[in-house]
Amino acid sequence: MPELPEVETTCRGIKPHLCGQRVTEVVIRNARLRWPVPPRLKQQLVGETVSDITRRGKYLLLHTAGGTVILHLGMSGSLRLVDAAQPAEKHDHVDLVFEKGHILRLRDPRRFGAVLWTRRPPQEHRLLVSLGPEPLQDVFTGAHLHQRSRQRKLAVKSFIMDSKIVVGVGNIYANESLFLAGIRPTTAAGRISRARFETLATVIKQVLEQAIAAGGTTLRDFTNGAGQPGYFQQQLRVYGRAGDPCPQCQTPIRLVQQMQRATYYCPQCQAR
């Protein structure tokens, strides 16, 4: 599914084209997404001008004077800027049409995405209010991870994927970060020292920044706002490489299941 780097890539791609642009039409072809598209979205959004586009976790926020559109890409969704003349395809469920002919189009084959609207500050919305710190901001530190992990028996991989602990560290990037930090994904979070959490926090930032620079990761059908794929999969060290030699010690990479998700690690480099 699109994770933080993919959403950040999309945000950066569409922002220069849509900020300052007025919404002239909202086309809803299928309102049955993960949460139903608000039936009054057309009346609420048409005529509003986008003042800013930001990201919170895996949510994209289109800010206007009257409220905020909250967008989520779900399991397989993408947002693309297309020309007004480009016909919609089967899984193109929602269009936001702008005055200069741009259309922001949500494609979501599995319909786990969302297009919502709030007039209140978006940070107060029920989907955002409990989110943890952003991993690329200074407030995210090893000290934060260490403090939140005390007495926790939860495996460290599941711990850093908890959006109440830190937002946006999805499965791909959790695997990669734990490998570079030399931490076994199955280790209980409460057993990890502050020093090792400091290393992990630093590595998480590095991995996410590298993924953003590469345009995200394309494992199924992610594309950015221009319809282009991401290329970070070419830099993956352990994810999806079960049985391949570890890039550091040549030991075969192992695959286990955690919380119904694939976990890849090197039993030698991530011994504890």
Side-chain angles (χ1 to χ4, degrees):
M1 67 179 292
E3 298 182 6
L4 184 151
E6 289 76 42
V7 180
E8 180 67 21
T9 298
T10 299
C11 180
R12 295 182 185 185
I14 66 176
K15 185 173 181 175
H17 300 282
L18 299 185
C19 282
Q21 298 299 307
R22 183 171 57 88
V23 179
T24 59
E25 186 180 4
V26 176
V27 179
I28 303 172
R29 299 182 187 86
N30 190 342
R32 295 175 298 168
L33 303 181
R34 183 175 184 182
W35 298 284
V37 180
R40 298 190 66 248
L41 182 63
K42 295 180 181 181
Q43 295 93 321
Q44 293 165 324
L45 187 55
V46 169
E48 295 285 349
T49 297
V50 174
S51 58
D52 197 9
I53 301 176
T54 62
R55 178 192 55 75
R56 181 69 173 107
K58 299 179 185 179
Y59 295 92
L60 271 176
L61 308 176
L62 274 63
H63 304 272
T64 75
T68 304
V69 181
I70 301 175
L71 297 161
H72 194 279
L73 301 181
M75 297 292 291
S76 59
S78 63
L79 280 169
R80 296 178 301 133
L81 282 175
V82 300
D83 185 80
Q86 184 169 328
E89 298 181 11
K90 178 179 179 181
H91 300 297
D92 294 340
H93 301 311
V94 179
D95 284 355
L96 303 185
V97 184
F98 292 85
E99 57 188 336
K100 290 189 177 181
H102 288 123
I103 293 178
L104 184 63
R105 177 165 288 168
L106 173 66
R107 174 172 294 174
D108 188 4
R110 298 179 66 181
R111 300 207 313 271
F112 280 107
V115 181
L116 303 172
W117 171 261
T118 180
R119 292 193 181 277
R120 302 184 65 182
Q123 64 269 21
E124 297 177 5
H125 192 274
R126 61 184 177 83
L127 295 176
L128 280 65
V129 69
S130 298
L131 294 180
E134 290 285 338
L136 298 180
Q137 295 181 352
D138 292 341
V139 292
F140 175 63
T141 63
H144 164 76
L145 290 176
H146 185 259
Q147 188 273 325
R148 293 295 302 271
S149 69
R150 294 308 83 191
Q151 311 303 317
R152 296 290 300 272
K153 296 181 180 179
L154 183 69
V156 65
K157 176 169 172 261
S158 300
F159 175 72
I160 63 173
M161 289 180 64
D162 183 346
S163 63
K164 294 181 180 179
I165 302 299
V166 55
V167 298
V169 183
N171 194 43
I172 296 171
Y173 304 107
N175 277 279
E176 293 295 301
S177 298
L178 289 165
F179 171 73
L180 291 174
I183 298 173
R184 182 162 294 198
T186 55
T187 301
R191 294 181 55 193
I192 296 175
S193 68
R194 176 167 174 170
R196 298 189 81 201
F197 269 130
E198 292 286 1
T199 299
L200 180 58
T202 298
V203 167
I204 287 173
K205 292 175 185 286
Q206 292 173 346
V207 168
L208 293 175
E209 287 170 349
Q210 289 168 4
I212 291 168
T217 304
T218 301
L219 293 179
R220 291 188 178 88
D221 56 359
F222 167 73
T223 56
N224 63 21
Q228 301 167 331
Y231 295 99
F232 188 68
Q233 80 271 20
Q234 297 174 6
Q235 303 177 38
L236 295 176
R237 299 163 179 87
V238 292
Y239 187 89
R241 299 189 181 277
D244 290 351
C246 169
Q248 295 182 168
C249 73
Q250 306 306 304
T251 300
I253 299 298
R254 289 186 185 173
L255 167 64
V256 297
Q257 294 292 320
Q258 287 182 280
M259 307 284 285
Q260 299 182 331
R261 290 181 177 271
T263 294
Y264 301 86
Y265 71 99
C266 172
Q268 181 66 32
C269 296
Q270 296 168 267
R272 60 187 180 91

